[in-house]
Amino acid sequence: MSKLAIKMTVNGTEIEAEAEPRMLLIHFLREDLNLTGPHIGCDTSHCGACTVDLNGKSVKSCTIFVGQADGADITTIEGMANADGSLHVLQDMFREHHGLQCGFCTPGMITRAHRLLQENPDPSDDEIRHGISGNLCRCTGYQNIVKAIRAAADQINAAKEAAE
Amino acid sequence: MDTAGAEIGNELSMDTKVVDTKWIGKRTVRPDGADKVTGRATFGADFTLPGMLWGKVLRSPHPHAVIKSINLDKALALPGVRSVMSGADLTDFPLDTPVMVGPADMRFVSRNVMARDKVLYAGHAVAAVAATSSSIAQSALALIEVDYDILPHVIDVEAAMRPDAPVLHDYMRTGGVTPKPEVASNIANRLEFKIGDPEAGFAAADVIVERTFRTEPVHQGYIEPHACLISVAMDGQATIWSSSQGHFMVRNATAKMTGMAVGDVRAIPAEIGGGFGGKTIVYLEPLAMVLARKSGSPVKMVMSREEVFRATGPTSGSVNTVRIGATKDGKITAGEATFRFQAGAFPGAPARPAAMCAFAPYDIENVLSVGIDVVMNRPKSNAYRAPGSPIAAHAVECVVDELADKLGLDPVEFRMRNAAKEGSKAAYGPTFRRIGFVETLEAAKSHPHYSAPLGANQGRGVACGFWFNVGGESSAQLNINEDGTVTVVTGHPDIGGSRASMVNIAAEMLGIDYKSVRAQIGDTSTIGISATTGGSRVTFAAGMAVSQVTEKVIETLRDRAAKIWDIDVDAVIWEEGEARPAGTNAGEFEPLSLAELAAKANATGGPINGQVSINAQGAAPAFATHICDVEVDRDTGRVEIVRYTAIQDAGRAIHPSYVEGQIQGGVAQGVGWALNEEYIYDDAGQLENPGFLDYRMPVASDLPMIDTVVVEVANDAHPHGVRGVGEVPIVPPMAAVANAIEDAVGLRLTDLPMSPPKVLAALEKKG
């Protein structure tokens, strides 16, 4: 099978690679780029553990071929931390508010929450719950995940206000 | 922001003396937190090795068939395929003698990980291949030729019990009955627990309620599929990286099934992406070991979600009959129950713990509780959070509720009048020591939720739950590092934040900042034998081991200080993280900190550390009382959980956030079990919903905030009062939801899940 030339930006770095056209984006990220933060939980786009940010949208990376991501700007959990190496506020709040138990859904949950807060910077708890309803967590009952996202939103908004 | 030192909320009521207050009971940041929020944590599928092959499993399309022949030649001939295997490559354990590894019988586990002679369910592993890529391995599966002789199958538990049912195992004779049957049966075992005279008890009752309940199998639903990587050296020694609830179990079971010495296998625990009981046994590791050995290359295997549904888990479906009698003044006089459990293809349904847990919350003089373990053409059932107890409580707590209603008693009050307490004799044997059941009922009664007004089509349900909690083998090691920081190593995979609890215990006792204590999980070669994470045992048993090893190291630290000061060790005390002279008589010395003692370690006798291995005794049961409000949509039959409060006795909450987290997670799973989750089979014995689209687990928008109240009635047999937390929260929800639906719309639903079509049909029937 002839390989496909792929160009994309992943976590701020330009990537040029060759991949089988039928390869899914999640397999390309995990196996070719060694980015094992996005996880595979279901192969059918229901669990959200593979969620990444692609051109400003949350995308379940098991649902698209790597070829479809040609030219895309992708952020995975590995690219979430701040430029100075400190944890992104969402990462910090998930840790601080115990928004995880086993931690397997966490990378997808955080990347999804990141986009959610771009879409809706001050969501209600109900809006948070609907906003992450494409991401399954089996450990927490979602309670501390909602709390962590709420706390991150508050911090981001407070910082914005202070800057204005 | 660091809120770790913040006081725990006022929801905790302290029952006994509390001596530990610096870190125990504090919401410390878990030591593996940064790994888990950055993607750095390595789960089962995250490992790779140079030259690694991908293994794939061929699974049976038939629910029941004889394997006449398997031809692997064409698969092996495919370029890129490096090794192939079938059940014949695993140890052939004779069927007449149990071969136990922990609680698991290798006769059955071995035949479950790969069929021998017969396939027993659709999805049963038949053969496997290892190839240079995942896609080549997948293509090779299509080249394997299996000749089947298809047999009639049976899926339903009652049908499987009938004498004319297709028999799965012609060697199986029902255990627990006399005389021993002469013919084979699908009924693997019958057991009973009895106290008093149940017939006399029912004769003394003024009101008797009897009902039959049905539950469907539900999967543990961990988000991480099973995964492993195995590398075998030229001399046969092997390393396993895999995600499991017990890497010692993985090592021992894999060695046994592949004919290896245990000492030749090193099992390294990956981070585990959820288990809930479903990762207490092996599926892939023995296969990857054989494929790696045959190919001479490392082999990685990862299940798809469909494979997880078709071949692992679930907990049993069941048909259960419960009968309870009580007097007019609200005293239960007798209880009787029969639990008929689907074991799946091999014996081992949790019928025993179901029969044991069923009436445990109540002080009843006359009880007969029967468990029946039945095999049929379904995947072998596996442990799921408090195995057996939720299914038993679903039936018992619904009947208890109906009795309270018939007697005109408040459901909490009725339970209070019959509640087990210290000195109560449980039907399954023991006489309870101090327990906290009544405390949970009292907390329920006084909780604002219990008296809050309800809206139209809303109802409130209450239900209770019990779990034994368990102890067993645990090992802990504590090292004082060169700079005075501390490393704690235990041997139990950290499935939900247990490292944080180990840190709290060690930091508390050492009197130092919790951030200078780091916790790790040792592999099978670096820490003493430690039993599987499960049964709500880790914080209890490993916590006890960590407590003992910390005590031991503190003794050493005092001894080193005594050497430096040249005084008797008894004249040295350990306080607030430093060695101090016991009093003025001991002499005038500047205290020595952990860092100072560490720096002088080599001058005073060498590295400072300790190791403790125990078989932890004194596990004490946990009880829970849940309050649930639902709203029933009369047009669609959809049930919405509008408010939920879970009250539980934790003994002592070492890390309150993870105690609450366990409770919230257990409730969420219970709500899924109550309302949506089920295995659906067609007439051909095929699972129709092996994916998250049609096997519907709760998402965030399905659930309300779940209020938790942690009651602390300390377990005196534990150095820090721990009972165990993780299991009991999944026990009450199914009955709590059912009782709430009854309260809302007057429907007594007996079958799970109470999904919209069922609720709608029942509403229409009622008219």
Side-chain angles (χ1 to χ4, degrees):
Chain A
M1 213 184 300
S2 67
K3 293 209 169 185
L4 205 64
I6 305 287
K7 260 190 180 181
M8 58 174 74
T9 306
V10 179
N11 298 331
T13 305
E14 286 189 22
I15 306 281
E16 284 188 43
E18 287 196 330
E20 283 183 22
R22 287 177 55 191
M23 190 176 216
L24 296 173
L25 178 60
I26 182 65
H27 292 134
F28 180 73
L29 293 172
R30 287 179 56 85
E31 288 154 31
D32 290 21
L33 302 186
N34 289 319
L35 295 170
T36 56
H39 297 138
I40 303 172
C42 72
D43 340 271
T44 54
S45 82
H46 296 108
C47 81
C50 66
T51 304
V52 300
D53 207 69
L54 188 146
N55 294 337
K57 281 186 177 163
S58 292
V59 166
K60 292 174 176 175
S61 58
C62 75
T63 57
I64 66 168
F65 294 117
V66 63
Q68 294 172 282
D70 191 26
D73 187 358
I74 294 172
T75 306
T76 70
I77 188 70
E78 287 91 345
M80 283 286 297
N82 300 322
D84 65 358
S86 62
L87 293 178
H88 183 275
V89 60
L90 268 164
Q91 294 174 313
D92 197 25
M93 290 303 99
F94 267 69
R95 187 175 68 146
E96 191 67 40
H97 291 276
H98 313 285
L100 63 139
Q101 281 175 34
C102 80
F104 191 78
C105 75
T106 313
M109 207 57 98
I110 289 177
T111 44
R112 171 59 201 139
H114 172 58
R115 182 50 51 194
L116 171 66
L117 295 185
Q118 313 282 314
E119 295 160 356
N120 180 358
D122 192 17
S124 65
D125 281 2
D126 205 40
E127 287 168 332
I128 293 173
R129 283 182 181 273
H130 280 91
I132 60 166
S133 61
N135 292 65
L136 287 173
C137 168
R138 191 62 158 173
C139 295
T140 63
Y142 303 101
Q143 186 121 338
N144 287 346
I145 293 175
V146 174
K147 272 191 199 167
I149 297 172
R150 174 81 258 149
D154 290 347
Q155 280 204 24
I156 294 167
N157 295 335
K160 256 191 233 158
E161 261 175 46
E164 274 160 15
Chain B
M1 186 174 74
D2 186 349
T3 55
E7 285 301 322
I8 180 163
N10 57 9
E11 70 272 26
L12 290 180
S13 62
M14 298 295 182
D15 177 75
T16 52
K17 70 186 165 77
V18 174
V19 287
D20 306 315
T21 53
K22 190 175 167 68
W23 295 118
I24 288 178
K26 296 292 161 61
R27 299 169 188 271
T28 57
V29 171
R30 61 195 282 166
D32 56 331
D35 276 2
K36 300 260 162 87
V37 300
T38 58
R40 182 172 175 267
T42 41
F43 290 89
D46 295 344
F47 296 90
T48 49
L49 282 174
M52 183 185 88
L53 306 175
W54 290 81
K56 292 261 182 203
V57 177
L58 179 72
R59 297 184 181 277
S60 169
H62 308 297
H64 196 191
V66 172
I67 302 171
K68 287 160 74 180
S69 66
I70 300 179
N71 187 341
L72 300 162
D73 296 347
K74 285 183 190 162
L76 187 57
L78 184 72
V81 173
R82 297 277 304 282
S83 57
V84 293
M85 71 170 295
S86 68
D89 291 299
L90 295 171
T91 308
D92 188 4
F93 298 105
L95 285 162
D96 53 3
T97 324
V99 182
M100 305 309 290
V101 169
D105 190 332
M106 292 299 113
R107 285 179 300 172
F108 304 135
V109 179
S110 169
R111 285 169 170 83
N112 188 44
V113 302
M114 194 156 275
R116 229 174 225 284
D117 312 326
K118 257 175 119 182
V119 290
L120 296 160
Y121 54 95
H124 200 166
V126 174
V129 303
T132 48
S133 79
S134 175
S135 53
I136 294 174
Q138 191 66 43
S139 305
L141 294 183
L143 300 175
I144 298 173
E145 296 164 337
V146 187
D147 192 7
Y148 293 106
D149 194 359
I150 296 170
L151 301 170
H153 67 273
V154 60
I155 292 290
D156 179 72
V157 65
E158 288 172 306
M161 290 169 75
R162 288 189 201 118
D164 61 345
V167 169
L168 271 71
H169 307 289
D170 54 15
Y171 55 87
M172 207 164 79
R173 304 287 180 274
T174 306
V177 293
T178 46
K180 193 175 175 178
E182 283 172 14
V183 292
S185 157
N186 292 324
I187 303 172
N189 235 313
R190 184 193 181 279
L191 53 93
E192 64 173 53
F193 296 89
K194 190 178 176 184
I195 51 165
D197 182 347
E199 280 321 304
F202 283 112
D206 297 311
V207 186
I208 296 173
V209 173
E210 177 177 331
R211 281 195 184 270
T212 294
F213 300 83
R214 281 163 203 278
T215 72
E216 295 301 326
V218 293
H219 198 273
Q220 294 82 351
Y222 34 82
I223 312 296
E224 181 202 28
H226 300 261
C228 69
L229 169 63
I230 298 187
S231 170
V232 184
M234 294 297 279
D235 66 354
Q237 293 190 65
T239 308
I240 302 174
W241 292 262
S242 81
S243 164
S244 81
Q245 287 174 244
H247 41 298
F248 286 88
M249 173 280 297
V250 167
R251 175 184 71 161
N252 300 349
T254 304
K256 202 95 191 166
M257 278 184 254
T258 56
M260 300 174 75
V262 168
D264 283 347
V265 183
R266 178 182 181 196
I268 299 176
E271 294 303 326
I272 170 171
F276 316 107
K279 290 177 182 165
T280 54
I281 197 64
V282 289
Y283 295 99
L284 296 175
E285 290 88 344
L287 313 185
M289 183 68 83
V290 170
L291 292 169
R293 223 157 46 177
K294 282 188 167 190
S295 64
S297 299
V299 172
K300 175 168 170 168
M301 297 183 85
V302 182
M303 275 195 198
S304 68
R305 177 56 53 182
E306 184 177 337
E307 288 181 287
V308 171
F309 273 113
R310 293 176 78 207
T312 76
T315 192
S316 305
S318 62
V319 178
N320 313 307
T321 307
V322 167
R323 185 179 178 218
I324 303 176
T327 58
K328 269 182 279 189
D329 58 351
K331 179 68 196 156
I332 297 176
T333 54
E336 213 171 72
T338 303
F339 300 102
R340 303 166 196 88
F341 271 35
Q342 301 171 359
F346 297 96
R352 173 182 293 273
M356 293 167 85
C357 293
F359 295 105
Y362 303 108
D363 193 345
I364 312 175
E365 273 177 41
N366 310 296
V367 171
L368 175 62
S369 192
V370 177
I372 304 173
D373 185 13
V374 186
V375 297
M376 69 282 300
N377 299 110
R378 293 173 177 269
K380 163 78 180 77
S381 67
N382 198 3
Y384 182 23
R385 213 165 189 158
S389 189
I391 299 171
H394 167 241
V396 169
E397 290 296 308
C398 282
V399 171
V400 165
D401 212 66
E402 201 173 338
L403 261 179
D405 190 45
K406 284 205 153 74
L407 292 165
L409 285 170
D410 171 87
V412 172
E413 175 56 32
F414 179 53
R415 286 171 170 87
M416 201 99 84
R417 287 190 196 177
N418 294 283
K421 42 184 98 56
E422 187 171 7
S424 296
K425 180 156 172 55
Y428 74 89
T431 299
F432 288 126
R433 305 194 312 253
R434 182 85 175 86
I435 51 174
F437 183 37
V438 169
E439 283 79 354
T440 69
L441 287 165
E442 280 167 351
K445 204 159 188 187
S446 61
H447 196 283
H449 182 175
Y450 197 61
S451 48
L454 288 162
N457 295 319
Q458 293 189 347
R460 179 165 298 141
V462 171
C464 299
F466 163 87
W467 182 248
F468 316 92
N469 297 324
V470 290
E473 299 156 325
S474 280
S475 298
Q477 193 178 311
L478 191 144
N479 299 325
I480 305 296
N481 301 318
E482 291 86 338
D483 61 354
T485 58
V486 176
T487 306
V488 177
V489 187
T490 58
H492 310 286
D494 176 358
I495 200 163
S498 59
R499 285 183 183 93
S501 293
M502 300 306 120
V503 164
N504 281 9
I505 290 171
E508 173 82 41
M509 295 175 72
L510 285 164
I512 57 176
D513 183 8
Y514 82 95
K515 282 179 183 158
S516 49
V517 182
R518 298 300 186 195
Q520 293 298 345
I521 314 304
D523 68 57
T524 55
S525 303
T526 59
I527 185 74
I529 291 169
S530 299
T532 298
T533 295
S536 293
R537 62 176 299 268
V538 169
T539 308
F540 170 78
M544 189 183 275
V546 166
S547 183
Q548 289 184 14
V549 79
T550 310
E551 207 168 83
K552 210 163 142 175
V553 168
I554 289 172
E555 261 176 54
T556 307
L557 290 164
R558 286 171 50 230
D559 182 59
R560 301 298 177 90
K563 280 199 175 113
I564 292 167
W565 292 331
D566 196 20
I567 61 175
D568 195 86
V569 66
D570 293 336
V572 181
I573 55 166
W574 188 262
E575 232 173 36
E576 291 173 43
E578 54 190 28
R580 295 172 179 173
T584 43
N585 287 349
E588 292 280 321
F589 302 106
E590 279 301 303
L592 286 164
S593 69
L594 205 49
E596 288 167 318
L597 287 164
K600 290 178 181 163
N602 278 347
T604 56
I608 301 169
N609 55 46
Q611 204 271 326
V612 158
S613 285
I614 58 171
N615 179 9
Q617 303 295 312
F623 292 83
T625 300
H626 291 191
I627 312 167
C628 171
D629 293 358
V630 300
E631 184 170 324
V632 180
D633 184 329
R634 287 180 179 270
D635 295 327
T636 63
R638 183 175 180 271
V639 175
E640 192 188 347
I641 309 293
V642 293
R643 187 170 179 183
Y644 205 104
T645 302
I647 302 150
Q648 183 173 326
D649 174 20
R652 182 84 203 274
I654 299 295
H655 193 302
S657 294
Y658 289 105
V659 170
E660 295 158 1
Q662 287 291 325
I663 295 172
Q664 289 149 0
V667 169
Q669 287 182 317
V671 167
W673 199 339
L675 295 179
N676 283 304
E677 295 179 34
E678 62 179 318
Y679 268 43
I680 301 168
Y681 276 85
D682 66 11
D683 291 342
Q686 301 290 335
L687 179 62
E688 291 190 304
N689 58 336
F692 285 141
L693 177 62
D694 300 313
Y695 184 93
R696 180 80 168 59
M697 307 201 309
V699 300
S701 52
D702 292 331
L703 296 167
M705 283 298 195
I706 297 157
D707 285 335
T708 52
V709 179
V710 180
V711 172
E712 294 191 308
V713 178
N715 172 13
D716 290 338
H718 191 274
H720 309 286
V722 173
R723 286 181 185 271
V725 170
E727 317 292 300
V728 84
I730 202 176
V731 179
M734 286 69 80
V737 174
N739 293 340
I741 292 172
E742 202 283 331
D743 189 47
V745 291
L747 284 178
R748 174 51 68 188
L749 299 176
T750 52
D751 297 356
L752 298 182
M754 296 171 285
S755 52
K758 260 188 222 162
V759 174
L760 195 58
L763 281 167
E764 279 166 3
K765 197 175 160 199
K766 187 171 173 259

